[in-house]
Amino acid sequence: MSNPSGTKPFTITRRDLVVSGAVTVAVGSGSAHAQTSEPKAKVSRASQPTMPVELIANGTPHRLTLDPRVTLLDAMREHLNLTGSKKGCDHGQCGACTMIVNGRRINSCLTLAVMHDGDKVTTIEGLGSPEDLHPMQAAFVKHDGFQCGFCTPGQICSSVAMLGEIRDGIPSHVTRDLMAVNYSDEEVRERMSGNICRCAAYPNIIAAIREVHEGNT
Amino acid sequence: MTDYHFDTPAGPNPIDQQKIIGHPHDRIDGPRKVSGQAPYAQDYRDGISNIAYGFIVGAGIATGRIDRIDTREAEAAPGVLLVMTHLNAPKQGPHQHDLAPQLTGPEIHFYDEAVALVIADTFEQARDAAKLVRISYTPKKGRFDLAQERLNAVKPDEDEPDTSTGDFAQGFAAAPVQLDVTYTTPDQSHMMMEPHATIAKWEGDRLTLWTSNQMVHWAIRDVAGTLMIPEENVRVLSAFVGGGFGAKLWIQSDAVLAALGARAAGRPVKLALARPQIMNNATHRPATIQRIRIGTDPQGRILAIGHEVWSGNQPGRKIENAAQQTRLLYAGKDRMTSHRLAVMDLPVGNSMRAPGEAVGLLALEAAMDELAEKLNMDPVELRIINDVQFDPEKGPSRPFSTRKLVECLRHGAREFGWSKRNPKPGQVRDGNWLVGMGVGSAIRNNLSKNSGARVTLRPHGSVLIETQMTDIGTGSYTILAQTAAEMLGLPMDRVEVRLGDSRFPESAGSGGSWGANSSTAGVFAACEQLRQQIAQKAGFGGAELTFRGGQVHAQGRSVSLASLAGKNGIAADGTIVFGDLEKRYAQASFGAHFCEVGVDRYTGETRIRRLLSVAAAGRILNPKTARNQCLGGMTMGVGAALMEECVVDTRFGYFVNHDLAEYHVPVHADIPDLEVIFLEELDDKSSPMKAKGVGELGICGVGAAVANAIYNATGVRVRDYPLTMDKLLERLA
Ligand code: FES
Ligand code: FES
C-alpha cells in the first residue's frame, strides 16, 4: 500500500478503495464543485434499465419490473412491502434476511431478485401470523428464542428449512457418519451458525427447534 | 403528571403479591416479533409516500482535510436527487452531548466520518452514486496506537477520574504478598443486528423520525439542538429496536442526515448505515490498558488494591471507566484508582454494554485468579474472604443496600461441582482437549432514572400503558404489562402497552441496566395515581383497596373497573422520582460465573463446555426475560474473552475488520446450553419494585471466568484480550 500519511493530496472514491484494496493516487478530476446554498432537489432521471420478473411470494404471484441490482431481500421489503425479513448486513454475513426459496433457505441479500423468475419464495409472513403461528414461531415465543427480535424472522425461516435438511439426510460439517444423519443439538448449532443472534438467545432457540423436531417425530 | 418521590426504603405494596410480577410470562410482543409484524425503523410504510433513499459517503482517511470534493458525476447519475457535502449542508447547532453535527467542514476527524450524503429515488441508485463522489484529501499524521499515546494521556475532566483511600503506595509496599500485572482489552463493537437506521419526514417545519434509538427524550433533545428547531417540532418513534447495547443511546449520523436530506429533497428519506460503515462511522467501546496491583497478608486478605486505566478517545470525549468496580468489589484499607485519557484519532468511543465494568472485570477478575495462585488459595475462597458489606472507599457509613456476592459464589460452586477442579493447571485431559475450570465475580452498579408513564383505564375495563420507554430486547413490553396487571388486579391479556413514542410521558429509556427497574417503577407510580382516582370515583375515600379480577374491593363492597371507567375512561400520569437513596447506600447487582473450557492441545482452539451464572439482582420481574438477558450478557462476555476485537490499522487509523464476517461474535456453534440461577432477593432501597439491573450483569466478570478456565486448562496466562488461538498456540507445551 502506498502511504497516505504524508501530505501529498490524493483522490480516492470508495469504490477504488474497496476494489483494489489500495489507495489510488489520482489527479483530481476537475475543479471543486462548490455550492453554497442547501442543494435543491432536481427532477431525477430514471433512465435505469429494468427487467421484468415474476416472484411467487408466500403463494401469491407478483409481476414486478425491477432494477436488476435489486436483491431478493429488497424486492420483498421495498417493492412488496413484506418487511418481516430483515437486513442486518446486506453481505451474507448474518442470516437476518433468510428466506425459503423453492424449499431451500438462502440469504436473500446475496441474490438478485431477477434471478428468481417464477420462484416460490416463503418469507416469515408466509409461515404464520400472530393469530395463527407456525409451530416454529409458537415454539420461539414459548422458549423465548429471541430478545430484540431482529434476527428472529431469519432464525425461524432457517430453522424450518434446516429441519428439512436433516430429514433429507443432508450431512453437515459435524456429521460423523455421512450415511446416518441424525438430529442432535450439535447438528442444529452447526447448521444454524449462519444465523447470528447478537442478543444471544441461542440456548432458547435450540430449545425451540428441539421442541418442534420432537413434535414432528 | 404526578411525581412519586422515592426517598425512603419501600414498604409493602401490591407488587409484593407477586401474582403476575415475578412469573415467567411469555413476551407479549412475541407473536408480532416471530411473525415479522413488529415494525423496526426501516419497516414503516403508513403515511410515508414517495420515499427517497439516502446513502452516506464516508471519509477515506482518518485525519486531515478535504481539499476538493467533486459531486458532479454523482449528481448526474440516474435517479439522484441531491448530493450534500460540507459545501452546501445547512448550518447546524453546536455539538449535542454525544452527537457531532454532520458535514460541517472540510476537516476529517475519523475514518468513515460522513463527508457526503447522496439522496436518490432508489436505494440502488443512491448506493451506486455514492461511489461517484470524488474527493481529494490532505491527510495528517494521526494518533492511532494506544500503547504509544498512553504516554500523552492526561487526567480527564470528568467526575472522579481518581479515587484514593488510605495510603496505597505504602500499603502495597508493605504487603507480604504482592501482585502487579497489566492487562489490555481491545476496542470492541456492539454489532447489534439492526444497523443504525432512520426514516425522516417533514410536514412544514415539523419533523417525524422513525428511528432505532434507546433513549427517546435524548433523541428529541439532540435532533432539535442539531437542527436548531424547537423540541416540540420533533417527533421520534422507536417502538422496536433491533438491539442497541449502548450503540443507540445517542442518535447517530443516520438520524441527522436523514432529516437534513429529507428537508432538502422535499421527500421522506430512508437512511441506514451499511454494515461495513457502522464500526468506524458510529461508536465502539474503547480499548484499555489496565495495571492492577494487589497486596495481601499471607492469608489472602487484601491490604492494598490499586487499579489504573488508560484509554483513548476523540477530543472532548469520555474515558472507559474500567476501574469503577474496583472501588466497590473487594475489601482493603489502602486503595487507589485512576483513569487517564489520551486524545486519539480513532472513531468515537462510547458506552457499550456495562461500560467500565465489562472490561474492568476482564482485568480485575483475572488478576484475582493470579493472586489466588500466588497465595496457593482457592479462587472462590479468596473472593469470599475479601467480601465487604459496605462501600470500601467510604466506610461502614455507606452500606450496600443488598449484596449477595458470597452467596452467589457458594451456590455456584456447589451447583457447578467446583470442588472437582484441579488447582494445578494443565492436568486434566479429555482426548486432545485440555480441560479447565475458572471463576469470576460479577458486579454491576445499579443506576436509576426518573421515569414516567400514562395508564388509562379504558371503557371496557382494559388498561393501556403509554410511555417513551423502549424495548431493545429487554422485555419492557412484558414487564410493564405485568406491573400494571399486578397493581390493578387484571389478567395480562387486559393490558396493552405502547412504547417508544415521544408523545408519551418521558421515561428512563433503555441503558445502563436502569430500564427495567426505573420504567416499571414509573408504571407503578402511574398505577398508584390511577388507583386513587378509581377509589375516589367508587366513593371509597381513603379506605384500604384490593384490586382483583377486574374489580376494586373496599369496605365490603366491590365495583367493577369497567363500570367506573365510564365512556371516556380514566387516565393517570405518574413519574417515579428517585431521591438520594443511591447516595446513602451503595447499590449494585452481584453474581458469580463458573466456566469449564476445553482447549485443543494442538490448535489452541478454545471451546466453552459449561457456563453457569448465579445472580442476585433484587426482585426478578420476569425470570424468563431476565434469564435471556443473562444469556446474552454471558455470550457477549465469551465473545470478549475469545474473539471480539476491532483490529486497528495503526498506519491508516481505522478498524480493519468492520463487518460481521471479520469481527467475530459468538454464533450458535460457539455456545452450549448455558445455565442461569437467580438468588431470591428484594432490594427495598432500589425502587418500589425492589428490583435491580440485570441486563449488563451477565457480561460482567464472565470473560475473566473463561480466561481463568483457559489458564487452569493449559497453564498459559494471556493478559492481552481476546485469547485467540495464536496467543495460546505459541505457548502450549
Ligand atoms: S442481511 Fe443477508 S445475511 Fe445479513
Ligand atoms: S433477538 Fe436480537 S439479534 Fe437475535
Side-chain angles (χ1 to χ4, degrees):
Chain A
M1 252 190 169
S2 59
N3 183 357
S5 60
T7 51
K8 194 152 55 110
F10 64 100
T11 301
I12 54 174
T13 67
R14 302 290 301 184
R15 180 188 276 158
D16 292 332
L17 200 61
V18 169
V19 171
S20 65
V23 175
T24 309
V25 180
V27 183
S29 54
S31 62
H33 182 54
Q35 289 173 297
T36 45
S37 61
E38 202 169 334
K40 288 277 165 298
K42 57 195 171 67
V43 180
S44 60
R45 285 140 298 172
S47 62
Q48 212 82 53
T50 55
M51 282 177 74
V53 61
E54 187 180 45
L55 299 172
I56 323 283
N58 301 322
T60 309
H62 295 272
R63 279 180 194 289
L64 297 169
T65 304
L66 294 177
D67 181 328
R69 295 170 298 185
V70 173
T71 62
L72 182 60
L73 174 62
D74 283 329
M76 292 293 165
R77 287 185 48 85
E78 305 297 326
H79 296 267
L80 295 178
N81 278 347
L82 290 167
T83 54
S85 311
K86 302 302 181 211
K87 187 187 282 188
C89 69
D90 217 11
H91 288 68
Q93 302 169 345
C94 76
C97 63
T98 307
M99 296 176 188
I100 304 171
V101 177
N102 299 333
R104 289 187 56 189
R105 53 181 172 152
I106 62 170
N107 287 337
S108 65
C109 70
L110 271 194
T111 188
L112 300 171
V114 295
M115 295 157 63
H116 293 279
D117 195 32
D119 282 356
K120 293 193 185 67
V121 184
T122 304
T123 68
I124 190 71
E125 293 94 338
L127 289 180
S129 62
E131 300 72 35
D132 182 21
L133 296 176
H134 181 281
M136 190 65 81
Q137 292 171 321
F140 266 64
V141 175
K142 177 175 163 196
H143 291 279
D144 214 31
F146 55 90
Q147 292 171 36
C148 76
F150 199 78
C151 73
T152 312
Q155 299 278 358
I156 291 174
C157 287
S158 196
S159 325
V160 168
M162 181 272 307
L163 285 182
E165 289 160 20
I166 293 181
R167 265 197 308 275
D168 293 346
I170 299 172
S172 82
H173 173 67
V174 298
T175 308
R176 291 199 178 79
D177 178 356
L178 299 188
M179 301 316 288
V181 178
N182 289 314
Y183 185 98
S184 69
D185 287 351
E186 189 196 9
E187 279 282 358
V188 174
R189 288 194 184 103
E190 169 64 24
R191 290 163 190 264
M192 290 298 292
S193 284
N195 289 91
I196 296 176
C197 179
R198 184 57 159 163
C199 297
Y202 293 132
N204 295 352
I205 295 172
I206 299 301
I209 296 172
R210 189 190 303 130
E211 176 172 293
V212 173
H213 165 74
E214 282 165 3
N216 285 343
T217 49
Chain B
M1 185 69 58
T2 311
D3 288 347
Y4 184 105
H5 290 275
F6 183 69
D7 28 34
T8 52
N13 67 47
I15 296 298
D16 295 323
Q17 303 171 92
Q18 293 218 150
K19 287 187 185 144
I20 296 175
I21 280 287
H23 292 261
H25 276 280
D26 290 349
R27 285 173 205 253
I28 61 173
D29 50 333
R32 284 208 283 165
K33 281 183 172 169
V34 299
S35 58
Q37 303 299 326
Y40 298 80
Q42 297 185 72
D43 299 343
Y44 285 90
R45 290 293 178 280
D46 288 352
I48 308 167
S49 55
N50 199 24
I51 197 161
Y53 294 78
F55 204 92
I56 293 174
V57 182
I61 62 168
T63 175
R65 56 182 289 131
I66 298 171
D67 292 330
R68 277 199 306 276
I69 184 158
D70 182 351
T71 56
R72 285 173 302 176
E73 239 184 299
E75 283 168 325
V80 171
L81 301 168
L82 63 92
V83 180
M84 192 182 286
T85 68
H86 70 276
L87 298 170
N88 58 6
K91 184 167 157 40
Q92 295 155 68
H95 189 115
Q96 302 291 321
H97 302 90
D98 196 51
L99 177 86
Q102 299 292 310
L103 306 175
T104 49
E107 288 77 29
I108 304 296
H109 306 91
F110 53 89
Y111 181 85
D112 238 343
E113 180 179 14
V115 292
L117 167 70
V118 178
I119 307 282
D121 281 329
T122 71
F123 169 68
E124 293 75 20
Q125 291 167 333
R127 183 183 55 189
D128 223 43
K131 293 173 188 149
L132 302 174
V133 176
R134 302 199 70 88
I135 306 168
S136 34
Y137 301 98
T138 301
K140 242 178 35 196
K141 198 164 156 39
R143 298 153 287 187
F144 306 128
D145 187 351
L146 180 61
Q148 261 174 39
E149 298 310 322
R150 165 191 187 170
L151 307 171
N152 306 320
V154 297
K155 186 168 171 175
D157 183 19
E158 292 194 32
D159 288 359
E160 280 215 319
D162 296 357
T163 57
S164 168
T165 309
D167 185 337
F168 172 76
Q170 204 179 43
F172 182 71
V177 180
Q178 297 175 347
L179 180 81
D180 181 350
V181 283
T182 298
Y183 282 81
T184 60
T185 65
D187 299 280
Q188 296 172 345
S189 182
H190 310 81
M191 282 295 174
M192 63 285 159
M193 294 306 300
E194 180 196 24
H196 300 280
T198 300
I199 297 176
K201 175 185 159 183
W202 290 86
E203 286 158 293
D205 56 1
R206 309 185 82 84
L207 172 66
T208 303
L209 295 177
W210 290 266
T211 191
S212 185
N213 188 278
Q214 300 174 220
M215 300 291 299
V216 168
H217 63 289
W218 292 0
I220 291 281
R221 176 196 67 194
D222 294 348
V223 169
T226 304
L227 301 184
M228 301 192 294
I229 58 176
E231 289 192 10
E232 54 277 13
N233 286 13
V234 184
R235 184 176 182 197
V236 164
L237 293 136
S238 184
F240 289 92
V241 179
F245 314 115
K248 297 169 179 172
L249 284 167
W250 293 274
I251 56 167
Q252 299 294 328
S253 57
D254 60 302
V256 175
L257 290 173
L260 293 178
R263 190 165 61 187
R267 285 167 64 174
V269 163
K270 179 189 285 201
L271 175 59
L273 293 190
R275 177 59 64 180
Q277 295 178 319
I278 294 175
M279 196 190 275
N280 288 289
N281 179 282
T283 63
H284 67 281
R285 187 204 305 273
T288 64
I289 299 170
Q290 304 181 44
R291 181 184 187 196
I292 294 180
R293 283 174 290 170
I294 310 176
T296 72
D297 68 13
Q299 288 71 45
R301 276 184 293 267
I302 296 176
L303 304 169
I305 184 163
H307 193 160
E308 295 158 86
V309 180
W310 292 263
S311 60
N313 214 331
Q314 288 269 322
R317 303 276 180 168
K318 300 189 296 191
I319 55 168
E320 181 69 22
N321 54 338
Q324 61 170 324
Q325 72 291 320
T326 308
R327 297 170 178 172
L328 289 172
L329 189 51
Y330 297 120
K333 188 168 75 48
D334 295 315
R335 334 177 51 93
M336 66 82 69
T337 64
S338 78
H339 296 90
R340 292 294 174 267
L341 181 64
V343 174
M344 292 177 68
D345 301 297
L346 287 174
V348 180
N350 211 330
S351 302
M352 176 170 150
R353 198 176 207 163
E357 287 110 330
V359 289
L361 286 162
L362 283 175
L364 178 62
E365 285 303 284
M368 287 296 281
D369 202 63
E370 298 202 47
L371 182 62
E373 191 181 36
K374 217 170 197 177
L375 287 157
N376 203 11
M377 259 184 99
D378 182 87
V380 172
E381 279 310 309
L382 174 65
R383 288 168 170 86
I384 288 173
I385 66 162
N386 285 295
D387 184 52
V388 58
Q389 291 290 319
F390 52 83
D391 175 343
E393 287 189 343
K394 307 255 156 58
S397 64
R398 188 174 184 242
F400 278 98
S401 56
T402 58
R403 172 168 165 134
K404 289 197 172 165
L405 174 62
V406 169
E407 290 85 340
C408 289
L409 285 161
R410 288 205 199 285
H411 192 94
R414 214 167 33 241
E415 290 295 317
F416 197 70
W418 182 254
S419 59
K420 297 201 190 72
R421 171 179 177 270
N422 187 331
K424 195 156 178 256
Q427 302 303 304
V428 183
R429 293 271 171 96
D430 175 8
N432 286 338
W433 296 100
L434 308 171
V435 180
M437 292 189 204
V439 65
S441 300
I443 176 174
R444 171 64 182 152
N445 230 357
N446 185 59
L447 307 173
S448 29
K449 271 202 187 305
N450 299 349
S451 194
R454 176 172 308 130
V455 180
T456 307
L457 176 64
R458 296 193 285 198
H460 296 289
S462 67
V463 159
L464 172 66
I465 301 172
E466 293 165 307
T467 162
Q468 281 184 6
M469 184 61 193
T470 48
D471 188 329
I472 62 173
T474 37
S476 310
Y477 280 101
T478 311
I479 57 176
L480 296 185
Q482 285 177 270
T483 304
E486 190 82 64
M487 291 295 289
L488 300 170
L490 290 168
M492 283 288 277
D493 61 5
R494 301 291 284 160
V495 184
E496 186 191 340
V497 182
R498 294 188 193 151
L499 300 181
D501 184 338
S502 57
R503 291 192 176 162
F504 300 153
E506 187 172 309
S507 82
S510 303
S513 291
W514 62 62
N517 182 46
S518 304
S519 69
T520 52
V523 169
F524 172 94
C527 287
E528 278 283 307
Q529 192 57 29
L530 182 63
R531 284 165 59 110
Q532 282 173 29
Q533 292 184 27
I534 288 170
Q536 235 168 36
K537 229 173 166 180
F540 285 142
E544 181 93 348
L545 307 171
T546 311
F547 286 74
R548 195 184 327 119
Q551 312 240 321
V552 53
H553 311 262
Q555 302 164 331
R557 224 158 33 91
S558 297
V559 188
S560 86
L561 297 183
S563 70
L564 291 170
K567 265 217 312 283
N568 301 321
I570 309 174
D573 284 9
T575 296
I576 185 86
V577 177
F578 291 95
D580 66 349
L581 283 172
E582 66 181 25
K583 288 217 175 59
R584 281 155 53 201
Y585 296 87
Q587 292 186 17
S589 302
F590 289 89
H593 304 284
F594 293 83
C595 180
E596 181 181 292
V597 299
V599 179
D600 188 298
R601 56 186 288 215
Y602 296 114
T603 67
E605 177 189 6
T606 299
R607 306 287 304 164
I608 306 293
R609 292 159 71 108
R610 293 192 296 139
L611 184 55
L612 162 70
S613 296
V614 184
R619 190 194 311 271
I620 300 301
L621 301 170
N622 179 327
K624 192 176 244 184
T625 55
R627 173 176 176 273
N628 209 339
Q629 285 289 293
C630 289
L631 297 178
M634 292 155 77
T635 303
M636 211 177 267
V638 168
L642 296 182
M643 60 191 88
E644 293 191 31
E645 173 176 17
C646 304
V647 178
V648 181
D649 184 323
T650 52
R651 299 163 305 167
F652 302 117
Y654 71 112
F655 299 132
V656 183
N657 53 337
H658 46 69
D659 61 26
L660 280 160
E662 307 255 351
Y663 183 91
H664 291 176
V665 302
V667 299
H668 276 285
D670 296 317
I671 301 299
D673 204 9
L674 310 180
E675 218 187 317
V676 180
I677 297 171
F678 293 114
L679 299 187
E680 287 223 6
E681 185 177 86
L682 295 178
D683 189 340
D684 62 358
K685 323 282 189 315
S686 72
S687 86
M689 303 302 293
K690 304 173 187 171
K692 283 192 286 205
V694 78
E696 296 171 318
L697 185 65
I699 196 175
C700 292
V702 73
V706 175
N708 296 341
I710 291 175
Y711 177 74
N712 183 242
T714 62
V716 177
R717 180 76 69 183
V718 178
R719 299 196 185 96
D720 173 27
Y721 286 99
L723 279 55
T724 45
M725 48 211 294
D726 52 314
K727 296 176 193 168
L728 293 170
L729 194 55
E730 58 191 18
R731 291 165 59 193
L732 280 176

